[in-house]
Amino acid sequence: MSSQIHSIHQQLVNKDITCTALVQEKLDLLKQNTNNTVNALLDTLALDLAAKVDAKIANGETIGLLEGIPFGIKDVYMVQGTYTTASSDLLKNYKSAYTATAIQKLLDAGAIPLVKENCDSFGHGSSSENTIFGAVKNAINPDLVGGGSSGGSAVNVAKDYTVFSIGGDTGGSVRQPAGYNNVYGLKPTYGRISRYGLMAYASSTDCVGPIAKSIEDIRIVLNVMSGKDAKDQTTYASAEITPDSIANSNTIKTVGYFKNFIENDSIDATIKADFLATIEKIKAKGIAVKALDFFESETLVSTYYTLAMAETASNLSRLDGTNYGNRIESDNLKETYAVTRSENFSEETKRRIVGGNQVLSQGFSDAIYLKGLALRDAIAENFEKDFSAVDIIISPVTPNTPPKIGDSLKDPHAMYLSDAYTVGFSLGQLPTLTVPQGTATGLQITAAKNNDELVLKFANFLKDTI
Ligand code: GLN
């Protein structure tokens, strides 16, 4: 699909539509939607901002490319004065005191926030069923899950309720729901976009990621949100990615894929066949394709979950009903903490807090947590070696197609294994993009650190190739 941002911008400038009518139309769609994508509508704010854009256009003033473009925000981002619930009982009544840097940059560019979007609570999940607002339903087949954790964001984009949405990706939460709903979703290089104001899940892999229907819209939104931020010491300055720089793919000579992802009993037969057919099409364009060795999926998933649980147990310790969260009073302070956290966290979140505290505790941390850290280093080294031999790595996004609503809740271990292809790239902190092509749940394109431009370039090439 071509850029919706460019086309809406042109319609606004030509006065074919008003911003108010556009925003109202999207708000109505969101209000009526039956996919459970909405935690809160930002209707007053959105309509106020739209009126200002219309006034500017009426005065003959020029507007920026993102000015008046409606977008959605996963409900884990601070937007001052709005509820930020993380889809949890604990923060059901929590209002943000400030605005996340990435979101502020979009607001400064004139984009219009419509909605705080449903997701797995605190980013914990792969199906957007771990939420107090009801399971998000898949955009293509509402009996299936929307994917997670940024399920509401991906479904809103797929359904055209938002032009783009901002998800968060710790271990696949932008890429997997993008794949399940046939849209683009980017996890940029770790540190390219500030995490300030994104509720912390696993701080060492948390990334801000855009979801949209075209590569061009991903590019535009990525550029606006990127950059060094004094409020997040892991951020770095990056060069703007121009349309020209990603137009021509002739610098890409070699593409790799992980043999063990494909030659594996747990991959769906059709996803495997489609992936292998894609490889043949790439080869037919004169690009060399190399099969690479990699860690077993089980190792990737256990390493990721060991570290993610440890980090989330630590990050969520502040949510005890004192400074944050719905407090449930009990006999004494200790009991009050216990009851507040037991009653207000979901089963899945509690599983992770217990697991995380276990792997960090004395007597276990050497054998489990430190081993996880060592494995992460080994995974990163493996990527470095791979990217000296290939320009791009491609993989399916998921081993299987989206499960029926209800199935993942019955079997959390199966849900964790559905992250087999996404978590490794998160541990490597690499830029990786889901494109809605190649297999039923898309393809994942990954490049070396800080090479987000190459990822978009290859996506452009694939768009015309397969
Ligand atoms: N499904 C993975 C998890 O539950 C990834 C979630 C995410 O990226 N926030 O941890």
Side-chain angles (χ1 to χ4, degrees), residues 65 76 110 127 208 250 279 289 329 362 377 431:
L65 187 55
V76 288
S127 65
V208 176
N250 54 17
I279 297 250
V289 177
E329 292 292 346
Q362 209 173 10
D377 288 346

Side-chain angles (χ1 to χ4, degrees), residues 146 154 173-186 211 434 436 441:
S173 278
V174 160
R175 288 162 284 154
Q176 188 255 40
Y180 280 3
N181 295 285
N182 281 337
V183 291
Y184 290 90
L186 175 71
I211 300 173
T434 287
T441 61

Side-chain angles (χ1 to χ4, degrees), residues 74 120 122-127 148-150 168-176 201 206 304-305 308 348 352 415-416 418-419 422-423 426:
K74 182 179 182 180
D120 283 303
F122 299 104
H124 296 159
S126 316
S127 65
S149 63
S150 313
D169 190 313
T170 303
S173 278
V174 160
R175 288 162 284 154
Q176 188 255 40
Y201 166 13
D206 284 346
Y304 166 77
Y305 275 98
E348 183 58 38
R352 292 170 187 224
M415 181 183 80
Y416 299 162
S418 76
D419 298 332
T422 52
V423 293
S426 297

